[in-house]
Structure formats: C-alpha cells, structure tokens
C-alpha cells in the first residue's frame, strides 16, 4: 500500500522544478521573430503584443508591461508559461512546448525598453 504523503509535492521542490523548466526553455535560444508570430496568433486576443495593436479584448497586461519591471525577468516569464493547467490565474493553458515558450519569452524580452 502506498502512503498518501508520498505523492505530495513540497513548495521548494515545485519551485526548483519551475526554475529548471524556465532554464530549459531559455536554453533553447528562443527566436524573437518566431515568438512574435506565436504572440500574434495565441496571445493578441487578450494581450497587446505589438506597438501597432490598439487594444485587446481583456484587461490582461500588455507584453510591454510584462517586461517593464525588474521582477519580470525572462526566467520568471518562462516559468509562468510552463506552469501546468489550472495554475494560471485567468490565462488558458495553451500547452506550449519549451521551444514555443522560449520564442515567446525572446519576443517579449525584445520589447523591453
């Protein structure tokens, strides 16, 4: 018989896993040009993703706002996008691959002032 606590994951282990996923995604050397295509296709309904996009259909932060502060680094953005379904507050799980995450992060980072 398996003990139920065996399947509980601690916060430090989850954090370490997210950091690993983020570093793996970033290690894929994301392409900002591919990321722009993905952002326009998958993200532009809710987020403003380009300078010429007038508005989005929700109050989600723009890609420019996502990269503006020192807290939002490419690593934290990649870790957020790698979270499993249900972990995002109001964002749908798009089932992004590590390469797609790296591309979107590279594009968002290219917008940083």
């Amino acid at each position: 018989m398996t003990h139920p606590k065996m399947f509980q994951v601690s916060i430090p282990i989850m954090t370490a896993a997210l950091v690993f996923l983020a570093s793996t995604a970033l290690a894929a050397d994301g392409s900002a040009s591919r990321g722009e295509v993905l952002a326009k296709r998958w993200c532009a309904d809710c987020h403003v993703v380009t300078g010429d996009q007038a508005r989005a259909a929700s109050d989600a932060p723009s890609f420019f706002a996502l990269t503006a502060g020192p807290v939002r680094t490419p690593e934290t953005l990649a870790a957020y996008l790698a979270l499993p379904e249900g972990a995002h507050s109001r964002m749908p799980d798009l089932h992004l691959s590590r390469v797609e995450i790296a591309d979107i992060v590279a594009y968002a980072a290219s917008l940083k002032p």
Side-chain angles (χ1 to χ4, degrees):
M1 185 166 145
T2 306
H3 194 277
K5 288 189 177 187
M6 258 176 104
F7 294 103
Q8 292 179 350
V9 178
S10 70
I11 298 296
I13 291 173
M14 180 78 95
T15 302
L18 290 175
V19 169
F20 170 77
L21 285 172
S23 64
T24 303
L26 290 171
D29 293 326
S31 161
S33 61
R34 286 192 315 252
E36 181 178 10
V37 171
L38 289 169
K40 286 177 179 178
R41 183 182 317 144
W42 296 108
C43 310
D45 285 344
C46 298
H47 299 270
V48 172
V49 299
T50 64
D52 62 349
Q53 182 181 348
R55 54 183 245 185
S58 79
D59 62 350
S62 73
F63 270 39
F64 302 94
L66 288 175
T67 59
V71 175
R72 292 187 176 118
T73 65
E75 294 83 8
T76 59
L77 183 56
Y80 183 78
L81 291 173
L83 288 171
E85 184 174 355
H88 301 114
S89 57
R90 297 185 324 193
M91 199 172 107
D93 184 4
L94 300 174
H95 301 289
L96 298 169
S97 72
R98 287 182 294 204
V99 172
E100 290 169 325
I101 289 171
D103 292 344
I104 291 171
V105 169
Y107 173 63
S110 77
L111 301 174
K112 193 168 188 154

